[in-house]
Amino acid sequence: MPINEALFAAMKAASYIKPNAGKSYKLQRVAEELIAKQAPANPKCRVEDTFAPMADGYAVPLRVFTPLVAYGAPLTEALEESSASGTPVASAISAILPAVLPKVLPKIPIKESTSSGNADGIPGNANTELPSVTPRGTILFFHGGGWTTGGINLYTQACAHMAVRLQRRVISVEYRLAPEYRFPTAVEDCYEVARQLFAGELPISGVGGSVDVDHPQSAAPTAPAGGGDISATIPAPDPASIVLFGDSAGGNLAAAVSLMARDRGEFMPRTQMLLYPVVGNDYNPETSPFESVRTNGTDYILTAQDMADYIDMYRSSVADLTNPYFAPLTAHDLSNQPRTLVLSAEYCPLRDEDEAYARRLQLVNDNVSCYRIHDGIHGYLLNTSAVGLVATTYRIIEHFLDGTPLEPAPGTGTTANAPEGGDAWQDVLGTD
């Protein structure tokens, strides 16, 4: 399916002039924090900060998002007033690139949205009124960023939108980042947070408080900032209502946590959702078994070289490359895994490995679904201009989680998205 020519030309140019991930990850972290600070308040979602203690004394920051009103419901007057001080938010893709390319900063526009108080997720005033809705469940979310960037601040908008749109509480995990903390630190952080959630052991640091969380590799806190009370805990949800969800490297972590949980036997996730996840280990166009590494590995922002850099920054040794907790696609046994939704992106270098992982899961597990998002590029969840792609994604997620009808519909994404009237998605496994 052809992609919009103007957008393709812009992405291709940006892909060639930007430095590779191995050279730019520190600058990208700075850019992401600047983006996060521009986020406006959204009173439809309450935001609280908490921490999960690790066995080594580290406290993993978490951000909890609770929907306050039903999706699409009008705001009350009090909530409308609390949203009046919002500031514009930049598109992640158009803001990150100029930040890591200071020489061309004046030449690259940053698209802004002046809307405020909508359901697109946004950190809100934690002291707003109690929820008028009962969350349908809990989503434990692991963010993307090649294990080296991203974080709960950058993903606050996306997670708040997720909470309101899906009517579920979302817990976002600020696992420790590479290369300061290499494999298996990130997956062990995520596993322990999941274990505590299933066991009802997650501590709360002053409900209603607000804590700025820097990237955790810059310090190793042993208690919540501000000395919050950590004696209370989040009650254990019904295990059937907990969903593991991650995008990109976060999808890798969600899949790895599910494998780890099966092997260790301390708890067992019932549902996982993987959005353009990293599940492989070879991004050399000459040796990769996946054609999308070659066809999509140079022109669509995330390059094959970026992926190779991320792998090198995350691994502790060459042996990690064949560890299923590092690269889930290398697992010899994929049985006894949760009900799974895999979402691939048409113009992503990871597309083919994602779909291969779904097919392998389907061989030994019931209830595996996989959809390819047409015109999708890697990372579109954070691109505020990719409204159509995100909407398509949530239609599929609602179908998967809640059984809502999923009728074929023309694409409406930021790219040309099915310009000949085709669908915005493709059912890769033919399960619907």
Side-chain angles (χ1 to χ4, degrees):
M1 180 178 300
I3 197 168
N4 178 276
E5 292 184 4
L7 179 63
F8 174 71
M11 288 192 299
K12 185 173 182 179
S15 300
Y16 277 97
I17 64 175
K18 75 177 182 68
N20 292 327
K23 298 178 180 179
S24 65
Y25 73 93
K26 289 183 179 180
L27 286 173
Q28 183 156 331
R29 290 175 182 171
V30 174
E32 290 172 350
E33 290 305 312
L34 293 175
I35 294 169
K37 291 182 184 300
Q38 296 186 69
N42 182 349
K44 287 191 174 183
C45 187
R46 187 178 70 217
V47 181
E48 302 157 85
D49 287 290
T50 183
F51 293 75
M54 299 292 107
D56 62 2
Y58 185 80
V60 172
L62 311 173
R63 186 157 290 163
V64 182
F65 303 82
T66 304
L68 294 173
V69 295
Y71 177 65
L75 292 173
T76 65
E77 183 176 346
L79 293 181
E80 285 178 345
E81 290 177 358
S82 71
S83 69
S85 60
T87 56
V89 61
S91 161
I93 288 179
S94 60
I96 289 176
L97 287 177
V100 299
L101 296 168
K103 291 184 179 180
V104 297
L105 180 58
K107 302 177 183 179
I108 303 181
I110 296 177
K111 180 174 180 178
E112 294 183 339
S113 169
T114 57
S115 62
S116 176
N118 55 45
D120 287 342
I122 319 195
N125 183 344
N127 296 315
T128 54
E129 63 185 45
L130 292 176
S132 59
V133 296
T134 300
R136 298 174 184 172
T138 300
I139 294 175
L140 186 62
F141 182 75
F142 308 128
H143 67 78
W147 306 283
T148 67
T149 63
I152 60 178
N153 288 336
L154 181 67
Y155 275 77
T156 288
Q157 277 195 293
C159 287
H161 175 57
M162 187 188 307
V164 175
R165 176 69 188 252
L166 300 179
Q167 292 290 280
R168 285 167 169 82
R169 178 175 290 107
V170 175
I171 302 175
S172 183
V173 181
E174 180 90 312
Y175 56 85
R176 283 172 279 189
L177 300 179
E180 293 86 353
Y181 295 93
R182 293 176 178 265
F183 178 81
T185 301
V187 68
E188 291 289 357
D189 283 351
C190 293
Y191 175 87
E192 178 58 17
V193 172
R195 188 200 65 76
Q196 291 182 32
L197 175 63
F198 276 83
E201 298 174 0
L202 282 183
I204 298 176
S205 59
V207 174
S210 179
V211 180
D212 274 342
V213 180
D214 294 325
H215 284 290
Q217 69 276 6
S218 63
T222 57
D229 176 16
I230 60 172
S231 59
T233 61
I234 297 175
D238 176 0
S241 73
I242 299 175
V243 179
L244 302 187
F245 185 21
D247 72 316
S248 190
N252 167 282
L253 294 169
V257 166
S258 292
L259 290 169
M260 193 176 284
R262 177 201 63 187
D263 297 342
R264 295 182 180 180
E266 294 181 289
F267 65 94
M268 191 60 225
R270 310 285 181 86
T271 306
Q272 65 177 354
M273 303 189 302
L274 316 176
L275 176 58
Y276 37 76
V278 183
V279 290
N281 59 16
D282 183 1
Y283 299 97
N284 183 334
E286 296 182 0
T287 58
S288 172
F290 299 113
E291 187 61 23
S292 61
V293 171
R294 287 175 281 279
T295 58
N296 298 339
T298 57
D299 298 335
Y300 301 97
I301 307 299
L302 177 72
T303 66
Q305 184 59 56
D306 287 335
M307 284 306 309
D309 288 352
Y310 287 136
I311 290 289
D312 285 343
M313 287 189 285
Y314 183 43
R315 68 178 178 87
S316 296
S317 69
V318 174
D320 292 339
L321 297 176
T322 53
N323 186 321
Y325 304 152
F326 183 95
L329 192 56
T330 67
H332 297 296
D333 180 10
L334 289 177
S335 63
N336 299 317
Q337 286 300 278
R339 178 172 176 249
T340 301
L341 171 65
V342 177
L343 293 164
S344 66
E346 182 177 9
Y347 295 105
C348 173
L350 310 180
R351 182 196 67 208
D352 292 351
E353 71 181 58
D354 293 343
E355 295 170 8
Y357 190 66
R359 292 187 180 97
R360 281 201 56 203
L361 282 171
Q362 188 188 40
L363 292 175
V364 289
N365 299 278
D366 294 330
N367 216 343
V368 177
S369 300
C370 180
Y371 297 88
R372 179 185 296 182
I373 306 300
H374 287 166
D375 283 353
I377 63 170
H378 193 89
Y380 69 76
L381 183 68
L382 289 182
N383 187 350
T384 57
S385 65
V387 178
L389 301 177
V390 175
T392 295
T393 296
Y394 277 111
R395 287 178 56 233
I396 294 172
I397 289 175
E398 288 165 338
H399 173 68
F400 176 74
L401 291 180
D402 301 324
T404 58
L406 182 61
E407 300 297 334
T412 57
T414 184
T415 64
N417 214 348
E420 288 82 28
D423 298 334
W425 49 264
Q426 174 186 342
D427 184 356
V428 174
L429 302 180
T431 53
D432 281 342

